Amino acid sequence: MKIVNIFAGRLFAFHYTGEIDNEYDRLMDLWTDTEYLRNFLKANQKDLPKGKQINDMATSIIEDSDVIDNTLVTLTKDSGLKLTTFFRPLHNQEYQTKLLSKQKGRENVLRMYAIKIDEDCFVITGGAIKLTQLMEERAHTQEELHKLERARSYLKENGIGDADSFFELFNRQ
């Protein structure tokens, strides 16, 4: 497991051992791959919103992935903007910021999951097409919960407590 810089030293992503791409690139590739999307949506057809057709959902997901990408580029290019306008606590009832909190960014059914290192520094752990209310309801979203926890544990095991300790780890990998 290694961490790579995605945007401007503010947004990073895990690159898991055995994977070709880091999580950000992997998600952007999946969310724009029409064959993958159609297969995923067919396999999860019972979870689609009423009246939504597979082709329409695939088109919406591709458009939404572009919105996420553009949003993150914009937020990281302007030092006056904060990534916290995109990322929010994973659990809606979480009001206090805690060390290495689990976060989500969303655009309709797309979710990007991350660990918050500091006020404006995040590490992407993965993402999903979330068609159900709870992550625990489907195997692919349960896997994202596990990745969030594994990533958080990795950071804790490496003594990450703030941005300074994070950048020390990042620079020695």
Side-chain angles (χ1 to χ4, degrees):
M1 173 178 317
K2 137 179 162 175
I3 299 168
V4 297
N5 187 0
I6 301 299
F7 294 121
R10 294 165 61 195
L11 184 62
F12 299 82
F14 275 96
H15 189 159
Y16 297 110
T17 305
E19 291 291 332
I20 295 169
D21 286 323
N22 66 67
E23 285 301 286
Y24 182 82
D25 290 340
R26 185 185 71 81
L27 292 171
M28 289 298 123
D29 287 347
L30 281 180
W31 293 344
T32 57
D33 180 336
T34 53
E35 183 177 348
Y36 166 81
L37 292 174
R38 285 192 181 114
N39 290 335
F40 176 87
L41 294 168
K42 279 181 189 173
N44 294 279
Q45 194 161 8
K46 68 181 180 290
D47 296 330
L48 295 182
K50 286 197 189 268
K52 286 287 188 173
Q53 301 298 316
I54 288 173
N55 287 342
D56 295 337
M57 282 293 294
T59 299
S60 293
I61 289 169
I62 291 168
E63 291 168 358
D64 292 342
S65 72
D66 195 41
V67 169
I68 289 173
D69 188 48
N70 289 333
T71 298
L72 292 173
V73 167
T74 300
L75 290 173
T76 54
K77 280 188 175 183
D78 185 338
S79 62
L81 299 174
K82 301 290 183 202
L83 286 167
T84 52
T85 60
F86 178 71
F87 289 106
R88 300 277 188 226
L90 179 63
H91 303 292
N92 295 332
Q93 64 276 17
E94 185 180 312
Y95 297 106
Q96 289 183 316
T97 302
K98 59 182 180 180
L99 183 64
L100 303 177
S101 70
K102 299 172 191 173
Q103 304 277 306
K104 67 182 174 205
R106 62 182 281 186
E107 184 66 32
N108 295 317
V109 298
L110 295 183
R111 299 294 186 276
M112 188 170 282
Y113 301 108
I115 301 292
K116 183 177 182 180
I117 302 300
D118 208 344
E119 185 58 33
D120 200 36
C121 183
F122 292 80
V123 184
I124 296 166
T125 64
I129 300 169
K130 187 171 177 267
L131 299 170
T132 58
Q133 183 70 23
L134 301 173
M135 292 179 76
E136 294 82 3
E137 294 181 72
R138 296 293 176 264
H140 71 281
T141 48
Q142 284 178 9
E143 175 58 26
E144 294 307 318
L145 283 171
H146 294 302
K147 285 166 56 177
L148 266 165
E149 196 51 49
R150 281 194 317 260
R152 189 167 186 258
S153 293
Y154 172 82
L155 293 169
K156 282 183 169 184
E157 289 165 8
N158 281 281
I160 306 306
D162 58 16
D164 289 339
S165 57
F166 173 77
F167 284 109
E168 285 176 23
L169 171 66
F170 178 75
N171 289 325
R172 45 170 213 263
Q173 359 174 49

